[in-house]
Amino acid sequence: MNKIISKEHFSEKVFKLEIEAPLIARSRKAGHFVIVRVGEKGERMPLTIAAADAVRGTITLVVQEVGLSSTRLCELNEGDYITDVVGPLGQATHIENFGTVVCAGGGVGVAPMLPIVQALKAAGNRVIAVLAGRSKELIILEKEMRESADEVIIMTDDGSYGRKGLVTEGVEEVIKREKVDKCFAIGPAIMMKFVCLLTKKYEIPTDVSLNTIMVDGTGMCGACRITIGGKTKFVCVDGPEFDGHQVDFDEMLKRMGAFKSIEREEMHKLEE
Ligand code: FES
């Protein structure tokens, strides 16, 4: 059982939870994730660690209410306990001094991007963060990003904050302005797909962090199976980060879509 130390409301459906997990806080690296379960019969939910405080013994997760399990988690309050938090899981982000790096974060994808930006800076990179969301309220962690990156570009679909346009427009603007050596993209699968199509055109190596369905998190169940460069990989043990130019996004989107109707049914049951 892991206690919720603090809860912050980011936007209508996005919450920041600081959770007691001293062992994970001490050993996690950028890119690692945890699997969280609310209730004995709860579904296992992978969530990337946005921050960790080894002294306080806490980790920070940013959660968006998108389905039954994330809604249950977001209903918990400060002082409540989460049934279990397992991790750190997955492979840590490969960090080195690439030169100039563009980090594109869409929606809650900005949260797992923050430790990557900080690690890239610490390794001596020039880091430009492009944060994107549908509207102003959906842009999160801007202050922390400004403290960590060399430059922050904000893009909103409706133009309510920063510049009006898609994340890809912000990324392309940087590519046209200066030499970019590496790109990271984290956000909805469709957003990562389009960032990868763009960076492929300019031949800029791009890493993405995939957010597939997960069950056991140990490579046994196959729920997180994806195809990378024609080979089957498991996001939970081989990832969550992969060479974005090798990811079969269309297959991934199709598999994620297949679970949507089940999710909708479960949500209806909750509302009844
Ligand atoms: Fe089961 Fe990855 S979650 S194999």
Side-chain angles (χ1 to χ4, degrees), residues 33 35 46 212-225 233-238:
F33 67 94
I35 289 190
T212 53
I213 305 268
M214 285 191 200
V215 178
D216 63 350
T218 62
M220 303 293 281
C221 73
C224 65
R225 191 178 72 242
K233 298 273 179 194
F234 298 108
V235 176
C236 66
V237 286
D238 300 315

Coordinates of all heavy atoms in Angstrom, one line a residue, residues 33 35 46 212-225 233-238, ligand 1:
F33 N 9.1 3.6 -15.6 CA 7.6 3.7 -15.3 C 7.3 2.8 -14.1 O 8.1 1.9 -13.7 CB 6.8 3.5 -16.5 CG 6.8 2.1 -17.0 CD1 5.8 1.2 -16.6 CD2 7.8 1.6 -17.9 CE1 5.8 -0.1 -17.1 CE2 7.8 0.3 -18.4 CZ 6.8 -0.6 -18.0
I35 N 3.8 0.4 -12.5 CA 2.4 -0.1 -12.7 C 1.6 0.0 -11.5 O 2.1 -0.4 -10.4 CB 2.5 -1.6 -13.3 CG1 3.0 -1.6 -14.7 CG2 1.0 -2.2 -13.2 CD1 2.9 -2.9 -15.4
P46 N 0.0 1.4 -16.5 CA 1.4 1.9 -16.5 C 1.4 3.4 -16.5 O 0.7 4.0 -17.2 CB 1.9 1.3 -17.8 CG 0.7 1.1 -18.7 CD -0.5 0.9 -17.8
T212 N 1.3 1.8 -24.4 CA 0.4 0.7 -24.7 C -0.4 0.2 -23.5 O 0.0 0.6 -22.4 CB 1.1 -0.5 -25.3 OG1 2.1 -0.8 -24.4 CG2 1.7 -0.2 -26.7
I213 N -1.3 -0.6 -23.7 CA -2.0 -1.3 -22.6 C -0.9 -2.3 -22.0 O -0.1 -2.8 -22.7 CB -3.1 -2.3 -23.1 CG1 -4.1 -1.5 -24.0 CG2 -3.7 -3.1 -22.1 CD1 -5.3 -0.9 -23.3
M214 N -0.9 -2.4 -20.6 CA 0.0 -3.4 -20.0 C -0.8 -4.1 -19.0 O -1.7 -3.6 -18.3 CB 1.1 -2.6 -19.3 CG 2.1 -2.1 -20.3 SD 3.6 -1.6 -19.5 CE 4.3 -0.5 -20.8
V215 N -0.4 -5.4 -18.7 CA -1.0 -6.2 -17.7 C 0.0 -6.6 -16.6 O 0.0 -6.1 -15.5 CB -1.8 -7.4 -18.3 CG1 -2.4 -8.2 -17.2 CG2 -2.9 -7.0 -19.3
D216 N 0.9 -7.5 -17.0 CA 1.8 -8.0 -16.0 C 3.1 -7.1 -15.8 O 3.7 -7.1 -14.8 CB 2.2 -9.4 -16.2 CG 2.9 -9.7 -17.5 OD1 3.0 -8.7 -18.3 OD2 3.5 -10.8 -17.7
G217 N 3.5 -6.5 -16.9 CA 4.7 -5.6 -16.9 C 6.0 -6.4 -16.8 O 7.0 -5.9 -16.5
T218 N 5.9 -7.7 -17.1 CA 7.1 -8.6 -17.0 C 7.5 -9.3 -18.3 O 8.3 -10.2 -18.3 CB 7.0 -9.6 -15.9 OG1 5.9 -10.5 -16.3 CG2 6.7 -9.0 -14.5
G219 N 6.8 -8.9 -19.4 CA 7.1 -9.6 -20.7 C 6.4 -10.9 -20.9 O 6.7 -11.7 -21.8
M220 N 5.5 -11.3 -20.0 CA 4.9 -12.7 -20.0 C 3.5 -12.7 -20.7 O 3.2 -13.6 -21.4 CB 4.7 -13.2 -18.6 CG 5.9 -13.3 -17.8 SD 7.1 -14.5 -18.4 CE 6.3 -16.0 -17.8
C221 N 2.7 -11.6 -20.5 CA 1.3 -11.7 -21.0 C 1.1 -11.3 -22.5 O 0.2 -11.7 -23.1 CB 0.4 -10.8 -20.1 SG 0.7 -9.0 -20.4
G222 N 2.0 -10.5 -23.0 CA 1.9 -10.1 -24.4 C 1.0 -8.9 -24.7 O 0.9 -8.5 -25.8
A223 N 0.4 -8.3 -23.6 CA -0.6 -7.2 -23.9 C 0.1 -6.0 -24.5 O -0.6 -5.3 -25.2 CB -1.2 -6.8 -22.5
C224 N 1.4 -5.8 -24.2 CA 2.0 -4.6 -24.7 C 2.8 -4.8 -26.0 O 3.7 -4.0 -26.3 CB 2.9 -4.1 -23.6 SG 4.3 -5.2 -23.3
R225 N 2.5 -5.9 -26.7 CA 3.3 -6.3 -27.9 C 3.2 -5.2 -29.0 O 2.1 -4.7 -29.3 CB 2.7 -7.6 -28.4 CG 3.4 -8.3 -29.4 CD 2.7 -9.6 -29.8 NE 1.5 -9.4 -30.6 CZ 0.3 -9.7 -30.2 NH1 0.1 -10.3 -29.0 NH2 -0.8 -9.5 -30.9
K233 N 8.3 -6.7 -30.2 CA 8.9 -6.3 -28.9 C 7.8 -6.1 -27.9 O 6.7 -5.9 -28.2 CB 9.7 -5.0 -29.1 CG 10.8 -5.0 -30.1 CD 12.1 -5.4 -29.4 CE 13.2 -5.5 -30.4 NZ 14.4 -6.2 -29.9
F234 N 8.3 -6.1 -26.6 CA 7.3 -5.8 -25.5 C 7.7 -4.5 -24.9 O 8.8 -4.3 -24.5 CB 7.4 -6.9 -24.5 CG 7.0 -8.3 -25.1 CD1 7.9 -9.2 -25.3 CD2 5.6 -8.5 -25.5 CE1 7.5 -10.5 -25.9 CE2 5.3 -9.7 -26.0 CZ 6.2 -10.7 -26.2
V235 N 6.7 -3.6 -24.9 CA 6.9 -2.2 -24.3 C 7.4 -2.3 -22.9 O 8.3 -1.6 -22.5 CB 5.7 -1.3 -24.5 CG1 5.9 0.0 -23.8 CG2 5.3 -1.2 -25.9
C236 N 6.8 -3.2 -22.1 CA 7.2 -3.2 -20.6 C 8.6 -3.6 -20.3 O 9.2 -3.1 -19.4 CB 6.2 -4.1 -19.9 SG 6.4 -5.9 -20.3
V237 N 9.2 -4.5 -21.1 CA 10.6 -4.9 -20.8 C 11.6 -4.3 -21.8 O 12.7 -4.0 -21.4 CB 10.7 -6.4 -20.7 CG1 10.1 -7.0 -19.4 CG2 10.2 -7.2 -21.9
D238 N 11.2 -4.2 -23.1 CA 12.1 -3.7 -24.1 C 12.1 -2.2 -24.1 O 13.0 -1.6 -24.7 CB 11.8 -4.3 -25.5 CG 11.9 -5.8 -25.5 OD1 12.9 -6.3 -24.9 OD2 11.0 -6.4 -26.0
Ligands
FES1 FE1 2.6 -8.1 -20.3 FE2 4.3 -6.4 -21.3 S1 2.6 -6.0 -20.0 S2 4.1 -8.5 -21.7

